Amino acid sequence: MTLEKGDQSNNLATLKGEIVSIVYHNPESHYLVARLKSPREPGQITVVGNLGQLVPGETVELSGTWQEHPKFGRQFQAISCVQSLPATLNGIKRYLASGMMSGVGPALAERLIQAFGSTVLDHLDNDPEKLLEIEGIGPKKLKTIRDSWQEQREIRSLLLFLQSHDVSPTFAGKIFKRYGAHSLEKLRENPYDLVYEIRGIGFKTADNMALKLGFSPDSPYRLEALIVYTLFQFSEQGHLFCPREELLERAAKTLETVDPAGLEQALRVIEERKRVRILDLPDQGISQAVFPSHFYAWETEIATRLVNLFKHPAPLALDRIEGQLLRLERELKMQLSEEQREAVAGALKHKVMVITGGPGTGKTTITRIIIQALKQNGLKIKLAAPTGRAAKRLAEATGFQASTVHRLLGFSHGGQFSHNEDSKLKADLLLVDEASMLDCHLFVNLLRALPLTCRLILVGDVNQLPPVGPGNILADLLNSQTIPSSWLHRIFRQARQSMIVVNAHRINQGELPVSSPKEPPQADFFWTEMEDPNKVQEMILKTVSRRIPEVYGLDPVRDVQVLTPMHKGQVGTNELNRLLQDLLNPRGREFKVGMRVFRTGDRVLQTRNNYEKEVFNGDLGWVKKVDREAGELLVDFEGHGVKYEQPELDELSLAYAISVHKSQGSEYPAVVMPLLTQHYILLQRNLIYTGLTRARQLAVIFGSHKALSIGLKNVGGTRRYTNLKYRLREAFGN
């Protein structure tokens, strides 16, 4: 029987033995599956857990629990491990031949054993020059072997140190990668530095580690890290700075016994160390704003680069291009309105231009005209969007190749970009669609990659939700009134026939939506008033699984997307995903990870940027293959196959129901959206607007009159603390 986590501490067992083989090992999380031989147990035992890099041949003493896996049978779930070097000759041979030491393979391992027998490991420690006597080992190879041996010993020491202080070994790989041979010294000196320097280690993890290592609860290091942690938590809500008083109040709530004077002193210290910048922002009515230093630098750089880009000349015969517009309209069978014509003229005239408008106002038409006009005049054009789905739509709408911004800039592992200040993009024009999704970090990297002769056109709907990451680029550019812009308001006749478009504009003006005058399947919008979460849940399940497929002929897995404001509750993403998975995909081959289940055929969502796998936060895919034996999933992201090992599956979630925020940049044939008063914390006008405008053919809302009214009135609750608007005015001299 599998023990629950709460029972394990009282049922720990000890297991000693020799590692025979490694079935699976993740170098980042140090999760592994190994086979072990113990004198007390018959046959080979399967051992699983986050135990570091064990090597065949070495002897281990494990603490953990026995478990019964439904497929793989009896296993030992280890929670701690003490390693020692192999004691037997066969163990030493397996150890050397395992590949754990660079430069040593099975053949060389055999020669070492023949020459030195069981003393070979002693020679590696005390007399490594002795190995030069072996054929195939010269000074260069010896250095490789010695360095690898030393690194393994240091990682082993680090793991033992962490375990002896009841700290999870999960972080050992990241710590060693950052600090190398100085890892132990760094931990003993100040483990709170991990908060600043290692991705994935937050304040609570570092604090838990530090307290177990004997650091005082009132340590200055602790308070300084707490301030930074609080500031970064605030930035996860999209802010680039936090008002000083609010920052200190939030930090004090995290540690209830903290001394306010100590926090003030900690803030002064991290300002002196240039980890934060503190500014007076009288234009915003904020006496002191605390920025993470890199956010301050990014905003300053964005303003400077935009001014330089805007003012640098780009040779182009504008009068000739403007004369081509009438011919282009005839060729493309389009007729621009006066509003659209002004937008096109502005885009052709200015080096930097912003075009914004809601659905049905002709942004796509303008984009096609601009691109055709500039292409016919020999300009090298690049098109991009923040997400893969948005890039695909842009390519389909214009007939030109488009890519994600990350791919355009040549992303690489670790978040670096191959196109940057030193390696510019070869482009005369860059047009970015869905620009409301651009956050501060992505935009500053985009500007670094643009040559000064390049034109930049940003197209997007400023009334949608702001980006997931920190900043509010599109809104700040428009509100600064420094960058030429065009606001499209006119809804074209064809678009006015869509109640999705009509109601999107009504919502944007604070008005309740109205029902479609048509009957199904011609009707494209429905609002069913109800408030009971249980009844709403029942209606969502029926609508997605039966009504929409039967009446509109849409695939419930591929074509219908449930969007909801929250993750918890009867109509939150967690519960709806579980129910919809069982309803729409009950028989796919399963892979269980804790309480979560993935099945072949499931719709899944990537929940964080993974530069190595080339998938990003918000990318939608489908599980193509489940390999339970290897502990892997294969996911198809629009033709891009990505393999996930078990420890990486926390990057995926089911996507039958997703949050409205995660839907940005995507469109779906049909959208079903619950809006209840229990969502009141998140009910905002731009959230309802964004959710509705994700629908292409059909939108269905289940919710009460009261809930929609709350959301439509909530306009000010979405303010983001940024200062780019004012930086731009200063940079442009306004």
Side-chain angles (χ1 to χ4, degrees), residues 24-44:
Y24 169 80
H25 174 243
N26 183 296
E28 288 292 324
S29 67
H30 282 283
Y31 180 87
L32 61 72
V33 179
R35 302 278 190 257
L36 178 139
K37 187 175 182 181
S38 172
R40 290 196 237 164
E41 297 285 338
Q44 292 185 8

Side-chain angles (χ1 to χ4, degrees), residues 34-35 130 163 177 248 270 298 329 346 368 385 437 467-468 479 488 555 612 646:
R35 302 278 190 257
K130 193 80 172 169
Q163 289 174 357
K177 187 176 181 180
L248 295 174
I270 60 175
W298 288 346
E329 287 182 56
R368 290 177 62 192
M437 296 182 67
V468 175
N479 293 333
L488 304 175
D555 184 328
E612 189 172 3
Q646 180 168 331

Side-chain angles (χ1 to χ4, degrees), residues 294-311:
H294 59 292
F295 285 0
Y296 171 83
W298 288 346
E299 274 201 335
T300 304
E301 184 179 350
I302 286 170
T304 302
R305 287 188 181 277
L306 279 172
V307 169
N308 293 339
L309 185 68
F310 184 79
K311 293 184 176 179

Side-chain angles (χ1 to χ4, degrees), residues 24-125:
Y24 169 80
H25 174 243
N26 183 296
E28 288 292 324
S29 67
H30 282 283
Y31 180 87
L32 61 72
V33 179
R35 302 278 190 257
L36 178 139
K37 187 175 182 181
S38 172
R40 290 196 237 164
E41 297 285 338
Q44 292 185 8
I45 303 157
T46 300
V47 174
V48 299
N50 297 92
L51 299 172
Q53 185 172 348
L54 299 182
V55 179
E58 66 182 337
T59 303
V60 295
E61 181 175 336
L62 306 169
S63 284
T65 57
W66 290 101
Q67 300 185 355
E68 192 68 33
H69 190 280
K71 180 173 179 64
F72 303 118
R74 191 169 182 247
Q75 296 181 341
F76 192 80
Q77 174 73 48
I79 60 173
S80 70
C81 172
V82 177
Q83 298 161 271
S84 60
L85 294 176
T88 67
L89 195 60
N90 282 335
I92 294 171
K93 185 176 178 179
R94 275 198 296 269
Y95 185 76
L96 291 173
S98 66
M100 59 79 67
M101 277 198 299
S102 299
V104 179
L108 184 53
E110 181 67 39
R111 293 201 297 274
L112 287 167
I113 290 294
Q114 288 178 358
F116 302 115
S118 61
T119 65
V120 62
L121 300 182
D122 292 331
H123 286 305
L124 278 169
D125 270 335

Side-chain angles (χ1 to χ4, degrees), residues 303-573:
T304 302
R305 287 188 181 277
L306 279 172
V307 169
N308 293 339
L309 185 68
F310 184 79
K311 293 184 176 179
H312 194 281
L316 188 63
L318 286 171
D319 53 345
R320 187 158 58 90
I321 288 181
E322 289 173 357
Q324 293 175 338
L325 288 182
L326 289 175
R327 178 174 58 80
L328 273 173
E329 287 182 56
R330 288 194 299 270
E331 288 178 3
L332 298 174
K333 297 180 181 179
M334 298 177 178
Q335 184 171 358
L336 298 180
S337 67
E338 189 60 33
E339 187 179 61
Q340 288 178 311
R341 200 178 298 278
E342 289 176 3
V344 173
L348 298 177
K349 178 180 179 182
H350 300 294
K351 282 288 300 304
V352 183
M353 177 76 176
V354 178
I355 299 172
T356 188
T361 56
K363 297 190 298 297
T364 301
T365 299
I366 290 172
T367 299
R368 290 177 62 192
I369 286 279
I370 292 169
I371 291 170
Q372 288 285 356
L374 295 177
K375 186 175 187 298
Q376 289 185 8
N377 284 270
L379 271 68
K380 188 175 179 67
I381 296 169
K382 300 282 188 184
L383 303 183
T387 68
R389 289 203 148 202
K392 185 178 180 181
R393 288 205 323 274
L394 179 60
E396 291 170 350
T398 61
F400 286 84
Q401 184 177 354
S403 69
T404 64
V405 177
H406 286 91
R407 191 178 295 276
L408 175 76
L409 298 181
F411 55 82
S412 62
H413 181 55
Q416 301 301 311
F417 296 96
S418 59
H419 288 294
N420 49 42
E421 179 66 34
D422 301 318
S423 178
K424 302 287 189 181
L425 283 168
K426 294 179 180 177
D428 300 309
L429 165 72
L430 172 62
L431 185 144
V432 180
D433 198 14
E434 294 287 357
S436 63
M437 296 182 67
L438 289 173
D439 62 26
C440 194
H441 176 248
L442 190 56
F443 193 55
V444 75
N445 278 286
L446 186 85
L447 293 176
R448 288 170 184 167
L450 292 185
L452 287 174
T453 53
C454 187
R455 295 172 178 271
L456 175 63
I457 299 174
L458 301 176
V459 181
D461 186 345
V462 74
N463 292 310
Q464 288 186 22
L465 285 169
V468 175
N472 200 5
I473 297 297
L474 186 64
D476 285 344
L477 295 183
L478 289 165
N479 293 333
S480 73
Q481 299 182 328
T482 58
I483 303 294
S485 60
S486 179
W487 295 67
L488 304 175
H489 300 287
R490 178 186 169 188
I491 307 174
F492 285 85
R493 184 178 65 182
Q494 185 176 357
R496 286 201 299 270
Q497 296 174 6
S498 166
M499 294 308 295
I500 295 174
V501 172
V502 169
N503 283 318
H505 286 274
R506 286 181 63 86
I507 286 168
N508 196 36
Q509 293 161 11
E511 300 173 2
L512 288 167
V514 294
S515 298
S516 174
K518 299 177 181 178
E519 294 296 322
Q522 283 72 41
D524 64 356
F525 177 85
F526 296 92
W527 170 25
T528 302
E529 289 195 51
M530 53 174 53
E531 177 61 34
D532 184 340
N534 292 315
K535 291 183 178 178
V536 171
Q537 181 191 89
E538 181 182 345
M539 285 299 296
I540 288 173
L541 298 179
K542 287 181 181 177
T543 302
V544 172
S545 64
R546 294 211 310 266
R547 294 184 178 181
I548 291 178
E550 289 171 1
V551 177
Y552 289 85
L554 296 175
D555 184 328
V557 176
R558 287 272 172 177
D559 300 331
V560 184
Q561 182 63 66
V562 178
L563 301 179
T564 178
M566 298 186 76
H567 295 295
K568 297 180 180 180
Q570 298 98 315
V571 291
T573 58

Side-chain angles (χ1 to χ4, degrees), residues 50 159 162-163 165-172 175 208-209 212:
N50 297 92
L159 283 165
L162 293 176
Q163 289 174 357
H165 290 86
D166 297 323
V167 176
S168 170
T170 304
F171 305 106
I175 293 170
N208 182 53
M209 190 182 301
K212 287 177 178 177

